[in-house]
């Protein structure tokens, strides 16, 4: 006791004040960054900025190649990571036995979720670029980014599947459904909000990552659009990285405009995740 106040209450108030101060400090930093980015880049946002290719002249530079290249890359990332991630989660939760080997695999998947992204870039460089001879193509970048976000999708999908009430499964089995029919018609629909939320947040991370693309050799200056998944390309993070590394101040303003476009894409994706989650939570 400190006077008439319990020491536990003092500690709780201290930690609450510390967390509140940290939250306010981080929020202020975020506000300053957003104000700086929008003040520098808002004036450079235009239809020409979205339609023009990259250029050595700031007044003619745009993000068309980077924007289309990002869409191409995500067209590889989304199906590859979703199928492998959700399929792995279903196997680990519904089919795999509780052995030491499976426990070791599960532990490593959880650990991989915290590995720095540049490590996955080195893995993609070794496997996809050099061993499979994919070069700096859309396919190599998409597979590398899929490796990056797979652990997060697997863990999020496992948690969503694990949260499905056992009563729903038992009711399905009681009606004569097989294990696969139960998974397909009961477990997956009930776990879909959590799976989609984790997956879309993972896709947002893949869109904003730069280090793996740098490692596998994705070019920073491209003045053409890819015609297939085997073509070379560039992405929004690489274009922003290129502009920020230039000495001319106008390119820094262009980088700020590119960051605004990237933020809009991420906000839209996260909004879709929230909408899907709320809709299916009301249904199930």
């Amino acid at each position: 006791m400190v006077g008439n106040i319990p020491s536990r209450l003092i500690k709780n108030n201290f930690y609450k004040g510390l967390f509140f101060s940290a939250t306010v400090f981080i929020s202020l930093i975020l506000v300053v960054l957003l104000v700086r980015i929008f003040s520098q880049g808002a004036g450079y946002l235009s239809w020409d900025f979205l339609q023009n290719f990259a250029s050595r002249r700031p007044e003619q530079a745009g993000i068309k190649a980077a924007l289309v290249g990002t869409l191409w890359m995500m067209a590889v990332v989304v199906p590859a990571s979703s199928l492998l991630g959700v399929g792995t989660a279903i196997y680990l939760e519904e089919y795999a036995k509780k052995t030491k080997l499976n426990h070791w695999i599960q532990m490593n998947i959880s650990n991989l979720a915290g590995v720095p992204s540049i490590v996955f870039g080195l893995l993609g460089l070794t496997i996809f670029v050099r061993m499979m001879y994919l070069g700096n193509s859309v396919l190599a970048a998409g597979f590398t980014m899929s490796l990056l976000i797979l652990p997060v999708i697997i863990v999020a999908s496992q948690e969503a599947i694990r949260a499905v009430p056992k009563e729903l499964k038992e009711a399905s089995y009681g009606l004569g459904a097989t294990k696969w029919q139960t998974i397909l018609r009961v477990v997956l629909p009930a776990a879909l909000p959590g799976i989609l939320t984790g997956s879309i947040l993972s896709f947002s991370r893949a869109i904003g990552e730069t280090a793996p693309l740098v490692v596998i050799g994705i070019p920073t200056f491209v003045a053409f659009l890819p015609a297939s998944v085997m073509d070379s390309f560039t992405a929004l993070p690489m274009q922003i990285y290129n502009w920020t590394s230039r000495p001319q101040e106008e390119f820094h303003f262009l980088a700020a405009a590119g960051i605004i476009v990237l933020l809009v894409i991420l906000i839209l994706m996260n909004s879709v995740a929230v909408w899907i989650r709320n809709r299916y939570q009301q249904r199930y």
Side-chain angles (χ1 to χ4, degrees), residues 7-269:
S7 58
R8 182 180 299 177
L9 181 60
I10 295 176
K11 289 181 180 180
N12 291 339
N13 291 335
F14 171 76
Y15 287 127
K16 288 180 181 178
L18 184 62
F19 292 148
F20 177 77
S21 301
T23 303
V24 171
F25 179 71
I26 294 173
S27 301
L28 288 176
I29 294 177
L30 181 60
V31 169
V32 170
L33 288 174
L34 290 176
V35 169
R36 180 175 175 83
I37 289 171
F38 278 90
S39 62
Q40 291 183 345
Y44 286 78
L45 289 175
S46 64
W47 184 250
D48 290 336
F49 179 72
L50 299 176
Q51 286 291 313
N52 293 345
F53 288 100
S55 174
R56 292 180 175 85
R57 298 179 179 179
E59 64 274 7
Q60 298 179 357
I63 60 170
K64 182 178 181 179
L67 189 59
V68 174
T70 299
L71 296 178
W72 271 91
M73 183 183 70
M74 294 309 298
V76 175
V77 172
V78 171
S81 59
S82 297
L83 292 175
L84 287 175
V86 178
T88 302
I90 292 174
Y91 172 77
L92 291 174
E93 287 298 317
E94 300 293 338
Y95 290 99
K97 298 180 180 179
K98 305 302 180 182
T99 61
K100 291 183 178 180
L101 177 61
N102 290 331
H103 177 72
W104 180 80
I105 293 174
Q106 178 65 55
M107 181 180 63
N108 279 275
I109 291 174
S110 300
N111 291 334
L112 284 173
V115 172
S117 59
I118 194 170
V119 176
F120 289 96
L122 293 172
L123 185 62
L125 176 66
T126 303
I127 298 177
F128 304 125
V129 176
R130 294 179 177 174
M131 293 180 60
M132 299 179 64
Y133 302 101
L134 295 178
N136 54 2
S137 63
V138 175
L139 200 60
F143 285 163
T144 302
M145 289 300 186
S146 297
L147 288 179
L148 172 66
I149 64 176
L150 259 179
V152 180
I153 294 179
I154 293 173
V155 172
S157 300
Q158 281 187 272
E159 293 296 332
I161 293 172
R162 200 177 296 141
V164 176
K166 293 182 179 180
E167 291 79 4
L168 293 178
K169 300 180 184 179
E170 293 172 355
S172 178
Y173 293 141
L175 293 173
T178 62
K179 188 177 186 65
W180 175 244
Q181 289 174 334
T182 301
I183 293 172
L184 189 63
R185 299 179 182 178
V186 177
V187 175
L188 283 181
L192 197 59
I195 293 175
L196 289 177
T197 301
S199 298
I200 296 177
L201 293 177
S202 300
F203 300 152
S204 300
R205 182 188 178 187
I207 287 180
E209 282 289 349
T210 310
L213 300 180
V214 173
V215 173
I216 65 177
I218 300 302
T220 58
F221 186 91
V222 169
F224 57 86
L225 300 180
S228 69
V229 293
M230 297 305 297
D231 289 345
S232 180
F233 80 110
T234 192
L236 274 174
M238 294 299 296
Q239 187 66 73
I240 295 170
Y241 169 75
N242 179 29
W243 283 335
T244 55
S245 63
R246 299 201 173 201
Q248 296 93 333
E249 190 177 22
E250 291 82 1
F251 282 112
H252 298 169
F253 296 154
L254 288 173
I259 292 173
I260 294 174
V261 175
L262 187 58
L263 283 174
V264 170
I265 295 175
L266 295 178
I267 291 172
L268 288 175
M269 291 182 65

Side-chain angles (χ1 to χ4, degrees), residues 193 276-284:
I276 292 175
R277 182 188 62 192
N278 293 337
R279 177 182 179 183
Y280 280 93
Q281 278 181 342
Q282 292 176 0
R283 181 177 179 182
Y284 295 98

